[in-house]
Amino acid sequence: MTSSETSSVLDLAPVVPVVVVEDVADAVPLARALVAGGLPAIEVTLRTPAALDAIRAIAAEVPDAVVGAGTVISPANVADSVAAGARFLVSPGWTETLLDAMKGSGVPFLPGVSTTSEVVALLERGVSEMKFFPAEAAGGTAYLKSLAGPLPQARFCPTGGVSPANAPAYLALPNVGCVGGSWMLPGDAVAAKDWARVETLAREARLIAGVRSR
């Protein structure tokens, strides 16, 4: 998939791994394991000092990965992420200033929402693809199901509390394009650099998502 084909975050893959990279040396083998397991869209959160270097390394060395930046909360985050090679942006929430920066970035983005008013406000600004966060705490599948009636044009990537147990229920909803989660990246596996286990868990996540015809 080339960058010109990355037009919608929601259509990249049914499951988007949400990655926190503490050691930049882990970025490339971790990304390769996820891609080998069938999860090419990788959201690297900007929660650590290593994040931008991790995005840069994955973009340069793992051509089959579509790497993006998560926890984008400022225009500076937008600029730095795109400069590092991020091909999509994800925020936990949004402001007018942040939205303007993401819209001007040249890459697809998912602004975060957790209320109906936020969804309506984004639709008013011409944005119909969003991150639903924190998904479980904000009402889960029941909430998203309720939004589908009055706001069918809005599509979501639920993140926050999504797991192998509830991912199929989210993916079965007509207004959900993909889910985000980190269950395929358990801390002990990453600490042990057990990339084979990460690949196996990624493959299982892809199979879980396979319950939804795409």
Side-chain angles (χ1 to χ4, degrees):
M1 178 178 291
T2 67
S3 58
S4 63
E5 294 173 315
T6 312
S7 58
S8 168
V9 182
L10 299 185
D11 295 330
L12 289 174
V15 177
V16 177
V18 179
V19 181
V20 179
V21 178
E22 300 285 353
D23 182 351
V24 70
D26 292 340
V28 167
L30 185 154
R32 286 175 175 157
L34 292 172
V35 170
L39 302 181
I42 302 169
E43 175 189 334
V44 177
T45 68
L46 302 184
R47 301 180 193 175
T48 69
L52 289 172
D53 284 337
I55 291 170
R56 195 171 288 111
I58 294 169
E61 299 183 46
V62 192
D64 291 333
V66 182
V67 64
T71 322
V72 174
I73 59 173
S74 70
N77 285 163
V78 172
D80 291 344
S81 298
V82 174
R87 289 165 59 182
F88 63 90
L89 306 170
V90 183
S91 70
W94 66 279
T95 65
E96 293 291 343
T97 300
L98 179 58
L99 184 64
D100 287 342
M102 290 193 293
K103 290 185 78 168
S105 69
V107 300
F109 58 91
L110 293 177
V113 299
S114 60
T115 69
T116 305
S117 293
E118 290 171 316
V119 175
V120 172
L122 283 176
L123 290 173
E124 191 176 78
R125 291 289 307 273
V127 177
S128 60
E129 298 189 347
M130 313 166 195
K131 170 178 176 172
F132 180 55
F133 176 84
E136 283 293 283
T141 55
Y143 194 94
L144 288 176
K145 191 178 299 183
S146 297
L147 289 181
L151 301 170
Q153 64 271 53
R155 298 176 68 220
F156 302 94
C157 174
T159 305
V162 179
S163 68
N166 59 25
Y170 278 107
L171 289 165
L173 297 176
N175 56 349
V176 169
C178 63
V179 297
S182 57
W183 73 85
M184 70 296 296
L185 296 158
D188 58 340
V190 174
K193 304 187 186 304
D194 187 351
W195 310 127
R197 182 179 171 204
V198 170
E199 180 181 339
T200 296
L201 291 171
R203 187 171 291 109
E204 291 172 356
R206 180 77 191 203
L207 290 173
I208 289 170
V211 300
R212 193 242 184 101
S213 59
R214 297 184 63 81

